Amino acid sequence: MKQLQQWFTGLNPRERMIVSGGGGALLLLALFLFVWEPLVGQKKQLQTSIAAQQELYNWMQRSADEAKKLQRATPRNKTNSSAMRTVINRTIKRSLPGATIKGVNKLKKKVQVNVDQVAFDDLVRWLAKLQQSNGIIVETLVSERLPQPGRVNVRLTLTTG
């Protein structure tokens, strides 16, 4: 540091002024590049992110309203457990090919279904169809993953919604 100070004092006044001005300009340039510019860039990025989040929120609100309207418009056939068991027995074999149906048991207002070796995708489609067509919903679902990809053993309790 002393060497730098000695060098600076060894300069004539005009050179000192030029070096000081250059140092000040360099300091301003560094502040601009390393402080101001990143802040402005981050601000623009946050504004873009906020706009995207707001648009997503608006879409979700519209979708929620639409879902509520559709839910109110969907006919709900209240089905007793005997009729529910009939519907399940009628649709399960067609909808779950390759699955082993271990049992479809009637409980008070519910039906318990045990299925082994079922393709998970087929199961989800079947459950969605039951809900849409008959108002039958899943109350409980216990699944066991099998070594075969996409296959599970399932224990379900179904009821009317």
Side-chain angles (χ1 to χ4, degrees), residues 96-151:
L96 305 178
T100 304
I101 296 135
K102 292 289 188 175
V104 178
N105 305 314
K106 183 172 74 167
L107 304 172
K108 291 180 184 176
K109 294 183 179 181
K110 305 170 188 175
V111 174
Q112 185 176 16
V113 181
N114 298 327
V115 185
D116 288 347
Q117 296 291 325
V118 63
F120 186 77
D121 292 342
D122 291 342
L123 175 70
V124 171
R125 278 190 286 276
W126 176 63
L127 292 173
K129 190 175 178 182
L130 281 178
Q131 181 178 2
Q132 290 169 354
S133 302
N134 304 93
I136 298 172
I137 60 171
V138 177
E139 185 175 273
T140 62
L141 184 145
V142 178
S143 66
E144 173 189 349
R145 192 162 135 195
L146 297 176
Q148 301 91 349
R151 291 262 187 221

Side-chain angles (χ1 to χ4, degrees), residues 8-141:
F8 187 73
T9 54
L11 296 174
N12 65 39
R14 183 171 179 220
E15 290 172 336
R16 273 188 252 156
M17 229 161 130
I18 291 172
V19 170
S20 296
L26 188 62
L27 179 64
L28 287 174
L29 180 65
L31 284 172
F32 177 77
L33 290 176
F34 297 114
V35 177
W36 183 257
E37 194 63 29
L39 287 175
V40 169
Q42 190 175 20
K43 179 183 173 192
K44 286 179 184 176
Q45 186 180 17
L46 287 173
Q47 287 173 332
T48 304
S49 175
I50 288 171
Q53 292 294 325
Q54 184 65 43
E55 182 59 34
L56 177 63
Y57 173 76
N58 292 338
W59 175 82
M60 290 174 84
Q61 288 292 81
R62 288 189 308 270
S63 296
D65 292 342
E66 186 178 335
K68 286 177 186 174
K69 287 177 190 174
L70 289 173
Q71 191 174 29
R72 280 187 238 119
T74 302
R76 297 285 177 163
N77 301 336
K78 292 287 183 176
T79 312
N80 65 33
S81 62
S82 295
M84 198 170 30
R85 184 174 180 205
T86 303
V87 168
I88 290 167
N89 280 326
R90 185 172 30 96
T91 61
I92 196 167
K93 290 176 184 149
R94 267 185 290 143
S95 301
L96 305 178
T100 304
I101 296 135
K102 292 289 188 175
V104 178
N105 305 314
K106 183 172 74 167
L107 304 172
K108 291 180 184 176
K109 294 183 179 181
K110 305 170 188 175
V111 174
Q112 185 176 16
V113 181
N114 298 327
V115 185
D116 288 347
Q117 296 291 325
V118 63
F120 186 77
D121 292 342
D122 291 342
L123 175 70
V124 171
R125 278 190 286 276
W126 176 63
L127 292 173
K129 190 175 178 182
L130 281 178
Q131 181 178 2
Q132 290 169 354
S133 302
N134 304 93
I136 298 172
I137 60 171
V138 177
E139 185 175 273
T140 62
L141 184 145

